[in-house]
């Protein structure tokens, strides 16, 4: 019996009914808990739902991180492209500045003479190449800058 009935000696019928009702409620809760533990299917469904929720969360985080990295990469690519263009302009300016005027004049005369003697088919093909080069200017500039950098690195290694 419980603490209340031990102290009194004998329990009244009302107290006994309360004890029985209380015991039934406890027994019901215990049976429900045991049934929940024994229901493997429900536990599996709950675990699957938890795993799906976690997977969705990870997928969302991955998408956010991918977007961030894509943006950072685009920013860095724009920065590098700008630097390469600046360096290419500096190199072109340096070459032009260091080339003597007579050499530049002679190159211009040779270019004009070559243009006058070039057949129309070749000029048309050259114009097509120029159009393609202009439409793909950035990759060509990047490629030229890479070649210049490689040549400079090679030159500096030879001097050591």
């Amino acid at each position: 019996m419980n603490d209340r009935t031990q102290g009194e000696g004998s329990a009244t019928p009302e107290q006994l009914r309360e004890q029985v009702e209380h015991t039934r409620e406890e027994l019901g809760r215990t049976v429900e808990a045991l049934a929940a533990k024994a229901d493997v299917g429900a536990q599996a469904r709950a675990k699957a739902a938890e795993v799906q929720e976690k997977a969705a969360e990870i997928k969302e985080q991955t998408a956010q991180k991918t977007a961030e990295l894509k943006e950072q990469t685009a920013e860095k690519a724009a920065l590098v492209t700008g630097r390469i263009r600046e360096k290419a302009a500096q190199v072109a300016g340096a070459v032009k500045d260091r080339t003597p005027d007579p050499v530049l004049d002679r190159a211009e005369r040779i270019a004009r003479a070559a243009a006058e003697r070039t057949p129309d088919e070749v000029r048309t093909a050259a114009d097509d190449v120029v159009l393609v080069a202009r439409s793909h200017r950035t990759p060509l500039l990047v490629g030229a800058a890479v070649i210049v950098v490689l040549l400079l690195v090679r030159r500096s290694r030879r001097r050591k």
Side-chain angles (χ1 to χ4, degrees), residues 8-38:
E8 297 175 7
S10 66
T12 65
E14 185 60 34
Q15 289 174 335
L16 290 174
R17 282 188 198 100
E18 286 179 21
Q19 279 183 335
V20 168
E21 185 62 33
H22 178 71
T23 303
R24 282 183 186 158
E25 288 175 7
E26 278 187 34
L27 185 59
R29 287 191 295 269
T30 303
V31 168
E32 285 177 9
L34 288 173
K37 285 184 179 181

Side-chain angles (χ1 to χ4, degrees), residues 13 42 67 86 159:
E86 289 174 10
R159 288 184 180 179

Side-chain angles (χ1 to χ4, degrees), residues 92-110:
V95 168
K96 189 173 182 180
D97 291 345
R98 291 181 183 167
T99 304
D101 288 337
V103 172
L104 290 175
D105 292 340
R106 174 139 173 123
E108 188 177 328
R109 285 194 307 270
I110 292 172

Side-chain angles (χ1 to χ4, degrees), residues 8-158:
E8 297 175 7
S10 66
T12 65
E14 185 60 34
Q15 289 174 335
L16 290 174
R17 282 188 198 100
E18 286 179 21
Q19 279 183 335
V20 168
E21 185 62 33
H22 178 71
T23 303
R24 282 183 186 158
E25 288 175 7
E26 278 187 34
L27 185 59
R29 287 191 295 269
T30 303
V31 168
E32 285 177 9
L34 288 173
K37 285 184 179 181
D39 190 358
V40 176
Q43 290 178 358
R45 286 188 295 275
K47 190 66 173 176
E50 183 181 318
V51 168
Q52 284 179 339
E53 186 177 306
K54 188 68 174 174
E57 184 179 310
I58 290 171
K59 184 177 178 181
E60 183 179 324
Q61 290 173 351
T62 303
Q64 288 175 348
K65 191 65 173 176
T66 301
E68 289 175 17
L69 291 174
K70 188 175 181 180
E71 184 178 326
Q72 289 174 357
T73 302
E75 290 172 1
K76 287 181 182 179
L79 181 66
V80 169
T81 301
R83 287 182 183 168
I84 289 173
R85 284 183 179 165
E86 289 174 10
K87 197 64 165 174
Q90 288 175 354
V91 169
V95 168
K96 189 173 182 180
D97 291 345
R98 291 181 183 167
T99 304
D101 288 337
V103 172
L104 290 175
D105 292 340
R106 174 139 173 123
E108 188 177 328
R109 285 194 307 270
I110 292 172
R112 267 191 255 129
E116 292 171 0
R117 294 181 187 140
T118 304
D120 288 337
E121 300 85 29
V122 174
R123 280 192 212 166
T124 304
D127 289 341
D128 291 343
V129 169
V130 169
L131 288 174
V132 169
R134 284 185 178 154
S135 66
H136 297 89
R137 180 176 285 162
T138 301
L140 289 173
L141 288 174
V142 169
V146 167
I147 290 171
V148 168
V149 169
L150 290 175
L151 290 174
L152 291 174
V153 167
R154 184 176 170 193
R155 183 179 173 190
S156 68
R157 286 185 180 172
R158 283 186 180 173

